[in-house]
Amino acid sequence: MTHVLSIIHYPVFGGPHNRNMRLVPVLSQRGIKTTVLLPDESGNAVGRLRDAGVDVVQVPLKRMRATRNLATHFRFFAGLPGELWELRRLIKNLQIDVVQLNGLVNPHGALAARTAGVPVVWQILDTHTPMLLRRVMSPLVTWLADAVMCTGLRVAEEHPGVMKHPERLISFFPPVDLSQFEPDPAMRMAVRRKLGVDDAALVVGTLGNINRQKGHDNFIRAAAHLKSKVPGAKFIILGAMHDNHREYIDGLWRLAAEVGLEFGRDLIAVDPTSNVHELLQALDVFWMTPRPRSEGIPTAMEEAMALGIPVVSFDVGSISELVTDGVSGFLVPDQNPAAVANYTAEHLMDSDIRATMGVSARAFVHEHASLERCADRHVDAYQLALRWLTRTHVS
């Protein structure tokens, strides 16, 4: 059995944690054991993963911060040697065969794996990292990664140097548990009643941890535009709210009031925890309005599409590889909330049109983003990394 150490530097549950949680049992059936490594700090990720039966270990593990505070960066680099020693010890003690990095900017795992003689699969998941830092990290990825996985080719193209080694590149769609994300009319009605939404109302929603990167302020501005055209429309934000984004979150609710959305009536915010597959059923249209430097392929959007919900989204990251414009949804080429509302009002008010686009959306996710398909891509990457390291040692 191949033993993979999957390193995630963030203690709050998000996309990388969800992907690992979903894939662990499927990969196990293919002879791959996964241990997830998290930082030894407070956050909800460790509990959710362990509750799902995932093997989790924790060590003190710092991460790069988006700050100009030089002391923060000094502490990061000062602690790096000790963290590398701890990681190498863990790799040897657990008899790890492959180390997987879930993100670009924290190279600890790759450096430790290299000194331990273990191959590296380096995943690049989004376009959030500033271009200057991408250029700094590019030589490290080229040097240390035996296989590179990217959420879509556009994400790969946005990272200098990655496309120069196509023999080591594997693109993939994040996995969706299609047995959970199955359209259910009875559940849809029950969730709408629970949320206090009329069966006939147009419900537009989004899903994602509430932070500036996800662009919930753009969502609220788009909602105000659509509300002026469709007075009975309701808007739902499904997302966890964490204290480190409290200032942004409080600003969202002030913005909603300023643009005429009444919180609790026009705009509903819910932390979905493990009930995403139920709460998404309430939606008629899914919006995603992130910042330009943000997404790869959002799992949240895939989950909505799996439920047969058409999408309107800003065209960022690799979203255009997921959504076929005019077929499964609509892509807005710039950061224009009013355009999101206009596309919805002009094209998605008819339930038959929404149903037709939803069928296309669901079919795409079934073909490209199932658990089995994503697991296949990970197995390919692990085998590639193991072969590449063997060739390197032989040569």
Side-chain angles (χ1 to χ4, degrees):
M1 176 172 282
T2 300
H3 193 178
V4 175
L5 181 67
S6 184
I7 303 176
I8 306 174
H9 281 253
Y10 304 94
V12 175
F13 193 89
H17 309 84
N18 182 65
R19 183 176 62 260
N20 279 267
M21 183 176 69
R22 299 297 181 194
L23 287 178
V24 161
V26 186
L27 289 172
S28 178
Q29 296 172 0
R30 289 161 165 75
I32 295 171
K33 176 183 178 181
T34 305
T35 296
V36 173
L37 173 64
L38 295 177
D40 186 13
E41 57 184 286
S42 61
N44 65 343
V46 62
R48 289 191 62 176
L49 288 171
R50 284 178 174 162
D51 288 346
V54 178
D55 181 33
V56 179
V57 294
Q58 292 180 279
V59 299
L61 197 62
K62 294 182 181 65
R63 58 188 177 276
M64 286 192 181
R65 304 277 188 167
T67 178
R68 295 182 180 180
N69 188 324
L70 294 180
T72 299
H73 298 304
F74 175 80
R75 286 192 295 271
F76 172 83
F77 286 106
L80 191 57
E83 292 175 8
L84 292 180
W85 182 88
E86 179 65 25
L87 284 172
R88 184 180 179 190
R89 183 190 65 81
L90 189 67
I91 289 168
K92 288 187 174 294
N93 287 349
L94 295 180
Q95 297 182 309
I96 297 299
D97 300 299
V98 177
V99 169
Q100 174 177 302
L101 277 65
N102 294 265
L104 174 67
V105 298
N106 296 293
H108 310 49
L111 291 166
R114 177 62 68 189
T115 61
V118 173
V120 173
V121 172
W122 202 321
Q123 294 191 341
I124 302 176
L125 305 172
D126 53 44
T127 55
H128 181 58
T129 306
M131 181 55 75
L132 177 60
L133 187 51
R134 291 184 221 170
R135 293 187 185 281
V136 170
M137 294 300 298
S138 178
L140 272 180
V141 175
T142 302
W143 172 42
L144 296 172
D146 300 286
V148 178
M149 299 185 73
C150 290
T151 48
L153 292 178
R154 279 185 62 180
V155 166
E157 291 166 356
E158 289 291 326
H159 289 80
V162 170
M163 297 297 289
K164 292 180 180 178
H165 300 279
E167 73 281 1
R168 281 189 271 171
L169 175 62
I170 292 178
S171 66
F172 72 102
F173 289 85
V176 177
D177 185 349
L178 297 171
S179 66
Q180 269 196 324
F181 289 87
E182 179 78 28
D184 186 333
M187 184 180 293
R188 169 186 165 87
M189 292 180 63
V191 171
R192 282 188 165 222
R193 283 195 296 269
K194 184 176 180 179
L195 295 172
V197 175
D198 184 83
D199 289 344
L202 179 75
V203 179
V204 179
T206 192
L207 168 65
N209 289 337
I210 300 179
N211 57 55
R212 189 177 184 278
Q213 178 182 341
K214 295 295 184 181
H216 291 87
D217 52 317
N218 289 324
F219 178 92
I220 288 174
R221 292 186 177 93
H225 282 286
L226 185 60
K227 186 74 175 176
S228 68
K229 301 173 182 290
V230 187
K234 304 293 182 183
F235 304 92
I236 299 178
I237 294 176
L238 302 175
M241 304 177 213
H242 300 286
D243 287 340
N244 55 326
H245 298 290
R246 178 53 54 189
E247 184 178 351
Y248 176 75
I249 294 168
D250 290 343
L252 290 179
W253 311 148
R254 290 194 298 271
L255 174 63
E258 290 169 5
V259 297
L261 296 177
E262 183 177 334
F263 194 76
R265 186 194 67 180
D266 304 315
L267 178 66
I268 301 167
V270 179
D271 185 341
T273 58
S274 59
N275 298 319
V276 169
H277 62 291
E278 297 177 358
L279 292 166
L280 274 177
Q281 300 269 359
L283 305 188
D284 296 301
V285 180
F286 184 89
W287 283 354
M288 185 151 276
T289 54
R291 296 287 184 267
R293 207 181 68 234
S294 56
E295 299 293 340
I297 293 176
T299 304
M301 185 179 291
E302 292 179 330
E303 290 170 344
M305 293 171 66
L307 291 173
I309 301 170
V311 170
V312 184
S313 174
F314 290 164
D315 185 8
V316 302
S318 294
I319 287 177
S320 63
E321 295 174 45
L322 173 63
V323 178
T324 304
D325 191 35
V327 177
S328 55
F330 295 97
L331 298 173
V332 177
D334 51 23
Q335 297 275 299
N336 187 348
V340 172
N342 291 338
Y343 272 98
T344 305
E346 294 169 10
H347 302 290
L348 293 172
M349 294 305 299
D350 188 308
S351 61
D352 290 337
I353 293 175
R354 293 198 301 269
T356 299
M357 298 190 84
V359 169
S360 297
R362 181 166 169 76
F364 187 94
V365 171
H366 269 257
E367 182 177 355
H368 297 281
S370 67
L371 290 175
E372 292 74 18
R373 179 59 176 157
C374 190
D376 289 343
R377 301 300 281 166
H378 279 70
V379 171
D380 291 343
Y382 302 151
Q383 292 177 344
L384 175 62
L386 288 163
R387 290 197 304 269
W388 188 266
L389 187 68
T390 300
R391 288 198 299 270
T392 303
H393 282 174
V394 170
S395 62

